[in-house]
Amino acid sequence: MEVTSSNFQDVLSELESVIKDATFLSIDGEFTGLNSGPDAGPFDTPAQYYSKLRAGSMDFLLVQFGLSVFTYNSNTNKYSQRSYNFYVFPKPMNRQSDSRFMCQASSIAFLSNQDFDFNKLFKHGIPYLTASDEEKLVKRLEEKQKLKEESYHDIIPISDNDKPQIEEICSRIENFLASDAKGLTIDHCNGFMRRLVYQEARIRWPNKVIVESKMENGWQCLLVQRAGTKEEEEERENQKQEKEKLEVKQAVGLSNLLKKIVESEKVIVGHNMLLDLCHIVHQFFTSLPKDYSEFKTLLHGLFPSLLDTKVICQSQQFKELVSSSNLNLLIDIMSKPPFSIPDVEPVEGRSYSVSREKSHEAGYDAYITGLCFIALSNYLGTLQNSENATVLANSPLLNPFLNKLPIARLKDFPYVNLVGKDPNPSREHVFHLTFPKEWKHTDISQLFSPFGGGYISWLSDTSAYIGLHRRDQAGAVMISLSKETVCKVQKYTKHQATLQVDVSSEDRKRKLSSSG
């Protein structure tokens, strides 16, 4: 089901009970770009990978959010599913709150090739606010009301410079009152001038006119209307307050849905979803923390039960059976023995079908991610020689995969562990090499060829990591190459320790400069 700003509030109300009854939720996202900074290297640490992702990806936007809600019926032994495809785009609240974001040409071209509807995104995208932005909006409305109340008590002298404009505006109001017009709009007023108009209207026409601010074409204007009876004005004020509450609710937009998902504490399923989750936290909750361990704590606090189908596919039980973890290929693999995708009951007007492929539409990808998860989970049940192979999302069989997120590009770190230490594979076979700028790939290959060669990961024009193909040759490398004068070979662990010292030193300098 497509969801835009026009039907979002209705869908949000619908999802209140739907999420409450769900067995698990699967998610997916589409973005305006992937990375604007340095690429992650195969021998980065998870903390270094996160740092690059945070610095190079968060200036892009998540513009489509897919949510598929799977609910298991124990009476029929079947799942039902509802899937939603949300178009997401920030709404400018004023000139100070006008979001800027980056686009990557390759990502936009990719979405265009998938028939992504950019008109629908820009015209009808659902807005959102982080918690701090929501707080600022509410505070701004409170200050606006406070300013109005203060204007009833404080009389501001009108300077000679401002008097001509005030008199001109008051003349227009006088003419309006003598006419049959329903209202008068006054533009080109700054905040101070608007307050003077409030004051003069109250003094010159007590209980006869109502002056209110309104946004028109991105600018603050004044709307002048005739005052009604006391009862009518009380009703008008109540309606105004209700309208402001609705405006806040609409501005918070998709963030309200994400809050409901967080509050539900349901199992969240995704496929290679670390980037999706980083964008969700950054865009709808709060800025990503600089510290990697703080990020893990924050993410686990928001989403305490995460399962990633890519982590499951790469585990011992599946890696021989799953030839590719690409989502579009994975759904085909899951459709054939020894796996099977059970019949999932669609909800009319709310569901996708594998017979009508819509790859790279976030709602569809969330849907097939959920199907793959069911097939993978049920296969774990068959390994237990169980006649009933249905394995639900809260089954202990899935505990080995819980809260582990795959890290793309790193050669030997399979996942981020949100609830404990990350895997710590040995990198004794990896070396840091510095060399002359004129060196090419072949020069490095020749240097390490006596030790069986290795995988070269360039860091700069004069440095690289080399991971030996033959790990048993690590000791021989240091013995043979430590005396080299043209280049310098250093153990990976020693080089990483040097980097940590440099980072700590920079942090201390920043703290000293900020405190000074």
Side-chain angles (χ1 to χ4, degrees):
M1 178 186 185
E2 284 198 338
V3 188
T4 64
S5 58
S6 59
N7 64 342
F8 173 69
Q9 295 302 329
D10 291 336
V11 171
L12 184 65
S13 299
E14 171 187 313
L15 282 169
E16 192 113 33
S17 59
V18 171
I19 291 174
K20 184 179 178 182
D21 297 333
T23 305
F24 71 89
L25 312 174
S26 59
I27 63 170
D28 186 70
E30 296 294 338
F31 314 100
T32 61
L34 297 177
N35 184 32
S36 63
D39 289 333
F43 299 117
D44 283 346
T45 64
Q48 289 167 337
Y49 176 86
Y50 167 72
S51 180
K52 289 179 180 179
L53 186 152
R54 176 180 174 271
S57 296
M58 294 303 105
D59 287 333
F60 298 108
L61 281 189
L62 183 153
V63 289
Q64 212 177 57
F65 175 68
L67 174 68
S68 198
V69 183
F70 286 82
T71 307
Y72 183 72
N73 186 328
S74 57
N75 295 322
T76 61
N77 292 326
K78 282 187 176 182
Y79 280 98
S80 64
Q81 63 90 11
R82 296 168 179 256
S83 297
Y84 305 84
N85 190 53
F86 299 87
Y87 283 84
V88 189
F89 198 71
K91 179 181 178 181
M93 301 301 296
N94 51 49
R95 280 176 293 172
Q96 286 73 42
S97 178
D98 193 359
S99 298
R100 292 169 176 80
F101 62 93
M102 295 179 67
C103 291
Q104 204 164 14
S106 57
S107 294
I108 298 301
F110 176 80
L111 290 175
S112 179
N113 289 334
Q114 304 299 322
D115 297 325
F116 188 97
D117 192 335
F118 288 99
N119 269 342
K120 188 173 291 183
L121 171 70
F122 298 140
K123 291 178 69 176
H124 305 295
I126 304 160
Y128 55 87
L129 292 176
T130 62
S132 62
D133 288 337
E134 180 182 356
E135 187 179 330
K136 289 175 186 174
L137 177 59
V138 172
K139 188 175 180 180
R140 192 160 63 241
L141 291 173
E142 290 173 349
E143 288 175 347
K144 182 179 171 184
Q145 181 63 27
K146 185 180 178 183
L147 183 65
K148 183 177 178 182
E149 291 170 359
E150 288 175 351
S151 69
Y152 279 84
H153 307 290
D154 301 332
I155 302 298
I156 303 171
I158 301 176
S159 70
D160 291 339
N161 287 336
D162 293 326
K163 191 169 288 186
Q165 186 176 357
I166 288 295
E167 290 301 329
E168 189 271 334
I169 291 173
C170 287
S171 176
R172 291 175 63 190
I173 295 175
E174 193 72 57
N175 293 334
F176 158 69
L177 289 172
S179 72
D180 295 327
K182 292 182 178 180
L184 169 68
T185 298
I186 301 168
D187 52 16
H188 303 299
C189 285
N190 58 32
F192 180 70
M193 189 60 62
R194 290 196 296 272
R195 182 165 178 181
L196 290 180
V197 174
Y198 294 141
Q199 172 181 292
E200 290 304 297
R202 188 184 76 250
I203 294 171
R204 300 190 190 198
W205 304 282
N207 302 319
K208 287 189 176 182
V209 295
I210 300 295
V211 181
E212 295 178 320
S213 289
K214 72 168 186 174
M215 288 290 292
E216 193 169 275
N217 298 322
W219 295 90
Q220 283 281 0
C221 301
L222 287 176
L223 175 64
V224 182
Q225 294 175 296
R226 291 175 178 81
T229 64
K230 182 181 179 183
E231 292 76 14
E232 287 173 339
E233 289 311 311
E234 287 177 353
E235 178 62 24
R236 188 204 295 263
E237 186 61 29
N238 289 335
Q239 289 178 356
K240 181 183 174 184
Q241 290 178 6
E242 288 301 314
K243 183 182 177 183
E244 287 178 346
K245 288 179 183 178
L246 179 61
E247 285 174 354
V248 171
K249 184 179 179 182
Q250 290 173 339
V252 175
L254 199 73
S255 301
N256 280 321
L257 172 60
L258 270 299
K259 287 177 190 175
K260 291 184 186 300
I261 292 174
V262 166
E263 290 164 2
S264 76
E265 296 189 345
K266 295 293 182 180
V267 173
I268 308 294
V269 175
H271 184 81
N272 199 18
M273 64 173 163
L274 180 56
L275 180 63
D276 302 72
L277 290 168
C278 285
H279 273 283
I280 286 170
V281 172
H282 180 79
Q283 203 160 312
F284 306 116
F285 292 98
T286 185
S287 298
L288 293 178
K290 183 178 180 181
D291 184 78
Y292 172 61
S293 60
E294 286 182 24
F295 161 71
K296 293 207 296 181
T297 301
L298 171 63
L299 187 55
H300 181 59
L302 290 170
F303 305 105
S305 302
L306 295 169
L307 286 165
D308 197 298
T309 48
K310 188 159 187 171
V311 168
I312 300 174
C313 289
Q314 293 173 343
S315 66
Q316 193 64 40
Q317 300 99 310
F318 292 98
K319 64 182 183 181
E320 296 298 325
L321 299 170
V322 179
S323 56
S324 172
S325 60
N326 179 289
L327 186 59
N328 293 330
L329 298 177
L330 184 61
I331 188 66
D332 291 333
I333 295 170
M334 292 297 108
S335 304
K336 301 169 185 173
F339 307 105
S340 66
I341 296 174
D343 290 334
V344 175
E345 296 177 339
V347 175
E348 188 175 353
R350 298 289 186 274
S351 300
Y352 288 96
S353 167
V354 289
S355 62
R356 296 184 63 190
E357 184 179 329
K358 290 190 175 183
S359 297
H360 303 293
E361 183 172 290
Y364 178 80
D365 284 355
Y367 160 65
I368 62 173
T369 295
L371 293 182
C372 291
F373 171 72
I374 294 171
L376 291 164
S377 301
N378 288 350
Y379 179 76
L380 288 174
T382 65
L383 296 180
Q384 305 299 310
N385 297 318
S386 170
E387 289 187 10
N388 180 10
T390 301
V391 174
L392 300 183
N394 60 356
S395 168
L397 291 176
L398 292 165
N399 285 351
F401 315 110
L402 196 62
N403 295 312
K404 293 171 181 174
L405 303 173
I407 311 179
R409 298 174 182 256
L410 302 200
K411 284 187 74 68
D412 47 9
F413 275 95
Y415 53 77
V416 167
N417 184 6
L418 296 179
V419 292
K421 292 184 177 180
D422 292 329
N424 187 25
S426 170
R427 285 183 171 173
E428 288 298 316
H429 67 298
V430 182
F431 298 90
H432 180 261
L433 180 70
T434 55
F435 45 82
K437 191 172 183 178
E438 60 270 16
W439 272 33
K440 307 297 182 189
H441 190 282
T442 53
D443 297 299
I444 301 173
S445 296
Q446 287 175 7
L447 184 68
F448 284 87
S449 62
F451 314 103
Y455 179 90
I456 302 171
S457 173
W458 290 83
L459 300 173
S460 69
D461 290 342
T462 58
S463 64
Y465 283 132
I466 294 88
L468 295 181
H469 296 317
R470 293 183 54 187
R471 292 176 179 241
D472 61 332
Q473 293 295 304
V477 167
M478 290 308 298
I479 293 171
S480 301
L481 301 183
S482 60
K483 297 176 183 178
E484 282 283 341
T485 56
V486 178
C487 60
K488 179 184 176 183
V489 177
Q490 191 178 35
K491 286 187 175 181
Y492 172 86
T493 50
K494 188 174 181 180
H495 180 255
Q496 283 291 320
T498 304
L499 292 179
Q500 290 300 319
V501 170
D502 291 342
V503 169
S504 299
S505 177
E506 284 298 316
D507 285 342
R508 281 195 297 272
K509 287 179 182 177
R510 274 194 293 269
K511 287 177 182 177
L512 286 172
S513 63
S514 61
S515 62

